[in-house]
Amino acid sequence: MGHPLDRRRKGRVGGGQDLMTAYPGRFPERHQDKKPTRSPGRAAHPSAPDAEEPLPMTPSPGPEAHQPSDGAPQVDANSLLPTGPTLALSSHCGPRHAVVAVDGPIDYHTAPQLLGHLTTTEMRNVPLLILDLTHVDFCDSSALGAFVDIHRRRSDAGHRFALTGVQPEVRRILELTRLTSVLSLHETVKDVLSED
């Protein structure tokens, strides 16, 4: 009978064979023989040799890349008024009145020009200011604002303001905005002077 310690020898069979060699398939594979697998949904660590390189960053465009569209008014750096189409204005002054004839559309681009012309010192002091719109076939809200502004200023100063030669399209806009009940409209300059 052998020594009891001989029975406690583990992992050995007769002839010094290893148990895994003698009984294949009964023991699981050693952990160190397995290759580590990567989780499919997990990103690789940056230090790994097969890690994907980050995509290059595209710099955002600077202010110079944002150019104004063709429809936007171009603003002069030395002026607060937008540059663009201009009106043809002609003035005729009488003893107590002044007639300003306008040629061209009155809109966002041209309303400031008209307003500046009608608020000069010469125009402010005349008792009756007549705006001849015979050659104006279009006006927008900027024009209506200019008309109301001139009317208010002259009324506060005790002076008159009248519109003549209003074309059908312009009259329709004045009627839709109910400004025909605020502004003084006449067919001709002669009609206005006959009331003075």
Side-chain angles (χ1 to χ4, degrees):
M1 185 172 181
H3 196 276
L5 294 178
D6 294 338
R7 299 177 183 177
R8 300 173 63 183
R9 294 176 181 175
K10 298 179 180 181
R12 297 290 180 180
V13 293
Q17 257 187 322
D18 188 73
L19 289 176
M20 294 185 66
T21 305
Y23 304 98
R26 293 190 180 184
F27 296 90
E29 296 179 4
R30 296 180 181 179
H31 295 289
Q32 59 270 24
D33 295 335
K34 294 182 179 181
K35 295 183 179 181
T37 59
R38 183 184 304 167
S39 175
R42 193 172 180 179
H45 193 275
S47 61
D50 57 345
E52 297 181 358
E53 296 183 359
L55 296 175
M57 298 292 291
T58 303
S60 59
E64 62 277 0
H66 300 280
Q67 298 295 336
S69 60
D70 295 336
Q74 302 295 325
V75 179
D76 187 358
N78 299 324
S79 174
L80 295 179
L81 300 179
T83 60
T86 58
L87 293 172
L89 302 174
S90 59
S91 302
H92 170 73
C93 296
R96 294 181 54 83
H97 72 277
V99 180
V100 178
V102 185
D103 188 354
I106 307 175
D107 54 17
Y108 169 75
H109 300 280
T110 58
Q113 177 193 358
L114 176 63
L115 191 61
H117 183 79
L118 299 181
T119 54
T120 59
T121 303
E122 181 182 6
M123 296 299 171
R124 287 200 309 263
N125 295 332
V126 68
L128 173 60
L129 177 60
I130 303 173
L131 193 62
D132 186 0
L133 303 179
T134 303
H135 299 288
V136 176
D137 57 1
F138 174 80
C139 68
D140 62 3
S141 59
S142 299
L144 302 183
F147 297 160
V148 173
D149 189 12
I150 294 298
H151 172 76
R152 178 185 57 80
R153 295 190 189 195
R154 295 192 61 81
S155 296
D156 293 344
H159 299 324
R160 294 178 58 196
F161 176 62
L163 302 178
T164 64
V166 180
Q167 299 301 302
E169 184 65 24
V170 177
R171 181 180 290 272
R172 186 180 69 86
I173 296 176
L174 294 175
E175 291 174 352
L176 289 176
T177 55
R178 299 182 179 180
L179 288 180
T180 52
S181 60
V182 177
L183 303 174
S184 177
L185 276 64
H186 299 269
E187 291 296 329
T188 64
V189 174
K190 186 180 295 187
D191 293 340
V192 183
L193 294 177
S194 63
E195 296 181 359
D196 190 16

